[in-house]
Amino acid sequence: KKGLDQFGSYQDTLSKLHGGRAVTAYLDLEPFMKLAMDQASTWQSLTADEKAVVEAIQAVGLGLSFEPNGLRLEMLLTADANKLPLGQLGALQGASNANKLLQTVPDSTFLYIGGEKLSTFFDSFLQSLQAADPSIASSLRTFERQANIDLSNDLFNWMTGEFTLVGMPGAIGSSAGQIPFGIALLVTPSDKQLAETNADKFFHAVADQAKLKIDDMSVSGATLHALLDTSGNPTLVYGILNDNFILALSQDAVKRIGSASSSPLAGDATFKAATAPLPSGNGGYFYLTPKPMVDLLTLGLTFSGQDCPACDLLKPVRAIASASEQPPVEANVFRAVMFVLLDTGQ
């Protein structure tokens, strides 16, 4: 019998991983996929696209390497691209994300989740939500009738460009229960006028039902709109800022984004070091600097008289970043890389 090292799929998969690995893992998925196909009830419950994916995937390779400034984890999936559904194949083999929104958020950003075509995600989410609970579907239809709006066609259909969800220093909530973080969603809309008009229509419907008010506010020369709480304080801000649609849960975050051009995240030394090992052509970055959240958690536990062992483990971690290669450089090979940037004391 042949040893694993002589198995063609094993050799082919591992040869595509980054060299200098300290740990290597391999999983041949074909037996598992065959088992799924042999289970009649399981197989019949799958959609045609899900069956195509099962028949297409072949093996997974993992490689962990130690770099001078951190840990590099690479995951590689091999699959027969000719068997993948056209929609999924198109998404995987689409053009790289331009990642232009990295220039629009400040270097104080500690969480960045980037991608494209948020409209596709929302459509799938709404369909799943409606299938899971008919009462939710009924409530959504009632809201749409009352607001005279179609969530898919009016609110989400213009979210076809780049998007990012970001976290940064700010303040959410009243002074009594304030969270020292700001959260914002930025989307490059296909139509700026349509985005602003339909978002304004949606949030006015929400405000009317909640008996709240919406007021205008000026940020970096742009007129945005703020949903006010019962005390008259802005709780949510939305509108067009620097050609992008923004939805933020912090007035502070909006102001930081409005002035980010002088010191954007794209130019931050920590961000560049954490993302340097990642594929340059990708579908969008995930980036996290854990220190702000670790500090908050440690403070909270200290006040309650508790320790946080996990917090101590995360202290040497300067940042965590990941990205999936897009489009694939090699045929039938889909790659993702995660890098943990460590404080080496240098």
Side-chain angles (χ1 to χ4, degrees), residues 83-127:
K83 294 182 180 180
L84 288 172
L86 291 178
Q88 187 166 7
L89 184 61
L92 291 171
Q93 295 184 337
S96 300
N97 191 328
N99 290 312
K100 291 182 178 180
L101 291 179
L102 289 169
Q103 299 287 348
T104 68
V105 298
D107 55 8
S108 58
T109 298
F110 60 80
L111 173 66
Y112 184 97
I113 303 173
E116 293 179 301
K117 299 181 179 178
L118 194 57
S119 56
T120 302
F121 169 80
F122 275 127
D123 285 342
S124 298
F125 175 73
L126 287 177
Q127 291 173 11

Side-chain angles (χ1 to χ4, degrees), residues 70-192:
L71 306 175
R72 185 183 193 275
L73 177 64
E74 179 180 19
M75 185 182 79
L76 183 148
L77 173 70
T78 60
D80 185 347
N82 294 324
K83 294 182 180 180
L84 288 172
L86 291 178
Q88 187 166 7
L89 184 61
L92 291 171
Q93 295 184 337
S96 300
N97 191 328
N99 290 312
K100 291 182 178 180
L101 291 179
L102 289 169
Q103 299 287 348
T104 68
V105 298
D107 55 8
S108 58
T109 298
F110 60 80
L111 173 66
Y112 184 97
I113 303 173
E116 293 179 301
K117 299 181 179 178
L118 194 57
S119 56
T120 302
F121 169 80
F122 275 127
D123 285 342
S124 298
F125 175 73
L126 287 177
Q127 291 173 11
S128 300
L129 199 62
Q130 291 171 3
D133 191 337
S135 64
I136 296 179
S138 177
S139 298
L140 284 174
R141 285 192 295 269
T142 300
F143 173 79
E144 287 178 326
R145 285 195 302 271
Q146 293 175 344
N148 190 27
I149 193 170
D150 184 312
L151 291 176
S152 294
N153 294 324
D154 295 336
L155 188 60
F156 302 141
N157 67 333
W158 46 264
M159 297 184 181
T160 56
E162 185 181 347
F163 75 86
T164 182
L165 178 68
V166 294
M168 64 191 67
I172 300 176
S174 64
S175 57
Q178 208 170 69
I179 301 173
F181 299 142
I183 300 172
L185 172 70
L186 285 89
V187 182
T188 302
S190 58
D191 186 321
K192 289 187 292 184

Side-chain angles (χ1 to χ4, degrees), residues 55-69:
E55 292 175 338
I57 58 178
Q58 298 166 339
V60 171
L62 295 172
L64 174 66
S65 56
F66 298 101
E67 307 294 336
N69 60 344

Side-chain angles (χ1 to χ4, degrees), residues 236-317:
L236 181 149
V237 181
Y238 68 92
I240 300 295
L241 179 63
N242 299 328
D243 293 329
N244 298 302
F245 175 79
I246 184 170
L247 174 64
L249 290 176
S250 164
Q251 185 177 1
D252 292 342
V254 175
K255 292 178 179 179
R256 287 175 183 270
I257 291 172
S259 59
S261 59
S262 59
S263 53
L265 179 62
D268 181 68
T270 300
F271 175 82
K272 291 196 287 188
T275 56
L278 307 184
S280 56
N282 58 66
Y285 289 108
F286 169 84
Y287 173 76
L288 171 69
T289 53
K291 188 178 186 303
M293 288 181 288
V294 170
D295 288 347
L296 180 64
L297 181 60
T298 302
L299 182 63
L301 290 174
T302 299
F303 276 118
S304 63
Q306 301 179 57
D307 295 325
C308 181
C311 297
D312 293 333
L313 292 176
L314 287 172
K315 283 182 179 179
V317 178

